[in-house]
Amino acid sequence: ALMYGRAHAALRPRIRAVSGELAKKVRAHARDPKLARTHGQHAVTITFGPEFAPVLERLVKGARRMDACASGLVGKISGPVGTYSGQRAIGLPEKCGAISFERRVLKKIGVWSEACSTQLVLPEALAEYLHACVLFSAALGQLGRDCRHLMRSEIGEVSEEFRSGQVGSSAMPHKRNPKTFEQLEGVSRLVKNEYANVLDTLISEHSRDLVGSSMMRMFPVIVILLAHQLEMLLAPKDGLTFLERVRFDTLRARHLLDVHGAPTLAETIYCGLAAAGYAGDAHRFAGEKVVPLLNTGMNPWQALIQAVHLARDPDLFHALHAMPADARVILQGGGAFACL
């Protein structure tokens, strides 16, 4: 418990640094528009801020979770089966009084004691701390996966630094592979798999056998791998960390919005029609009748008007003229930027 507590103290500055640098990027690009994606498809317009804010939230909550679990790490000095029999034999309880010898010693090294123990410390406290490490590692892995996908050739909204002398591919010199982001996600998988050993030590024979002791010797790997992920993002060059050198290509994101943004306004169309009182299936109408027109590059408002006229549905005519002002402004704006 003492060693894990010290390891956590060493992680905390790195955690703060990574979270702080990601927060700066989220704030700096909070109003830079881009397309959101779900299932690998264009969704609706967002900005770079909310694209990465969920990962930042996971890191902030994960750091708090790790702190709370680290403060609850426990130890024991209760003898081979947890009965303090050796201490009683030499009169330690009488000498120590209301505060036991175990609590006195553990307090001096900053570790809590359980109300009771056996040959082993009860497993939950350490398991919870290591689980908190796994969750934090997964959040870093999420950052790696998101950035890796946004570096795809057809997207290109994020770029990872390409160091001097680094080759993009063993056979294709033109490539710029997302090396660090791939490793960031890959290490999170290693961390997840290592946690299986922790789960295998939650049960033991009479709470006293040492079958799990060999697995417990591997538990620190979880903390070490997490530290490795943090150090990837904090790797320095020319006074900047790797994360600071990551670039969000706002011009590329705007270009993709210009090309692909109009069909994403189908949500605004069906919500506007429904809000205007259209009793039919506004979602189907938008998807089947308006989106094909949007895919031709037609202005969203004009596409809606044409689809309504072609449908010859009086209820649609009424809903079109009763559409909420905000929806009308967005559609007449002619592009997905208006959603912002």
Side-chain angles (χ1 to χ4, degrees), residues 4 34 51 55 72 74 76 87 97 126 158 162 169 192 195 199 204 214 223 226 271 281-282 300 312 317 320 322 335:
Y4 282 109
K34 67 184 299 297
E51 178 75 88
V55 172
V74 296
K76 60 156 274 183
Q87 296 173 35
L126 181 55
V158 171
F162 197 71
S169 166
K192 180 260 295 183
Y195 191 71
L199 297 176
S204 63
S214 57
V223 181
L226 174 54
C271 288
D281 191 336
R312 300 182 180 277
F317 277 104
L320 176 66

Side-chain angles (χ1 to χ4, degrees), residues 152-192:
R152 291 177 177 273
S153 300
E154 63 272 22
I155 299 177
E157 293 175 350
V158 171
S159 60
E160 179 179 306
E161 179 204 29
F162 197 71
R163 295 188 177 187
S164 176
Q166 178 180 336
V167 296
S169 166
S170 59
M172 293 163 282
H174 69 283
K175 292 179 65 182
R176 297 295 184 265
N177 294 340
K179 175 184 174 183
T180 299
F181 291 131
E182 286 183 338
Q183 291 180 352
L184 197 64
E185 180 182 348
V187 172
S188 72
R189 298 184 187 185
L190 288 174
V191 171
K192 180 260 295 183

Side-chain angles (χ1 to χ4, degrees), residues 9-328:
L11 286 177
R12 291 189 76 215
R14 295 169 172 83
I15 290 172
R16 285 197 300 269
V18 167
S19 301
E21 289 177 11
L22 184 58
K24 289 178 183 177
K25 283 193 175 292
V26 168
R27 293 191 191 101
H29 296 279
R31 299 187 62 82
D32 291 329
K34 67 184 299 297
L35 284 167
R37 295 172 180 85
T38 61
H39 308 280
Q41 307 294 310
H42 296 141
V44 296
T45 306
I46 59 170
T47 71
F48 278 95
E51 178 75 88
F52 290 97
V55 172
L56 177 61
E57 180 74 359
R58 290 174 66 177
L59 295 181
V60 171
K61 288 184 176 179
R64 293 172 181 165
R65 188 183 298 112
M66 287 179 64
D67 284 343
C69 292
S71 67
L73 290 170
V74 296
K76 60 156 274 183
I77 309 175
S78 58
V81 295
T83 60
Y84 306 93
S85 54
Q87 296 173 35
R88 289 195 177 92
I90 58 174
L92 276 181
E94 291 77 12
K95 294 176 182 178
C96 291
I99 303 176
S100 69
F101 174 75
E102 178 181 61
R103 291 189 178 181
R104 288 173 185 269
V105 175
L106 293 179
K107 183 178 180 181
K108 287 187 176 183
I109 62 173
V111 176
W112 292 97
S113 61
E114 291 276 18
C116 61
S117 59
T118 65
Q119 175 120 335
L120 310 173
V121 175
L122 302 185
E124 281 78 11
L126 181 55
E128 287 171 354
Y129 174 70
L130 293 174
H131 185 248
C133 292
V134 172
L135 295 178
F136 196 93
S137 173
L140 295 177
Q142 183 69 60
L143 177 64
R145 177 174 291 191
D146 289 348
C147 289
R148 174 177 173 268
H149 281 291
L150 293 175
M151 281 184 66
R152 291 177 177 273
S153 300
E154 63 272 22
I155 299 177
E157 293 175 350
V158 171
S159 60
E160 179 179 306
E161 179 204 29
F162 197 71
R163 295 188 177 187
S164 176
Q166 178 180 336
V167 296
S169 166
S170 59
M172 293 163 282
H174 69 283
K175 292 179 65 182
R176 297 295 184 265
N177 294 340
K179 175 184 174 183
T180 299
F181 291 131
E182 286 183 338
Q183 291 180 352
L184 197 64
E185 180 182 348
V187 172
S188 72
R189 298 184 187 185
L190 288 174
V191 171
K192 180 260 295 183
N193 292 333
E194 286 292 335
Y195 191 71
N197 290 327
V198 180
L199 297 176
D200 282 338
T201 61
L202 297 181
I203 300 173
S204 63
E205 188 177 288
H206 304 297
S207 298
R208 295 189 181 97
D209 75 64
L210 296 180
V211 170
S213 63
S214 57
M215 288 182 284
M216 291 183 71
R217 287 177 172 86
M218 299 303 296
F219 288 2
V221 171
I222 293 173
V223 181
I224 293 167
L225 289 173
L226 174 54
H228 179 48
Q229 287 178 290
L230 294 167
E231 288 165 1
M232 280 189 235
L233 295 172
L234 297 174
K237 180 184 178 184
D238 300 329
L240 298 174
T241 67
F242 169 83
L243 190 53
E244 289 174 314
R245 300 191 303 271
V246 170
R247 189 169 69 92
F248 293 169
D249 193 334
T250 56
L251 292 179
R252 171 67 176 172
R254 283 177 176 268
H255 169 71
L256 292 174
L257 259 177
D258 284 338
V259 175
H260 304 290
T264 68
L265 290 172
E267 180 196 35
T268 302
I269 290 171
Y270 88 78
C271 288
L273 291 173
Y278 179 57
D281 191 336
H283 187 282
R284 173 171 289 184
F285 171 75
E288 294 182 356
K289 304 301 181 182
V290 185
V291 169
L293 298 175
L294 293 174
N295 285 330
T296 67
M298 185 177 290
N299 173 281
W301 181 247
Q302 295 301 322
L304 175 58
I305 291 175
Q306 182 169 328
V308 168
H309 279 277
L310 290 173
R312 300 182 180 277
D313 183 340
D315 289 341
L316 276 173
F317 277 104
H318 174 77
L320 176 66
H321 293 292
M323 183 170 284
D326 287 344
R328 184 185 293 263

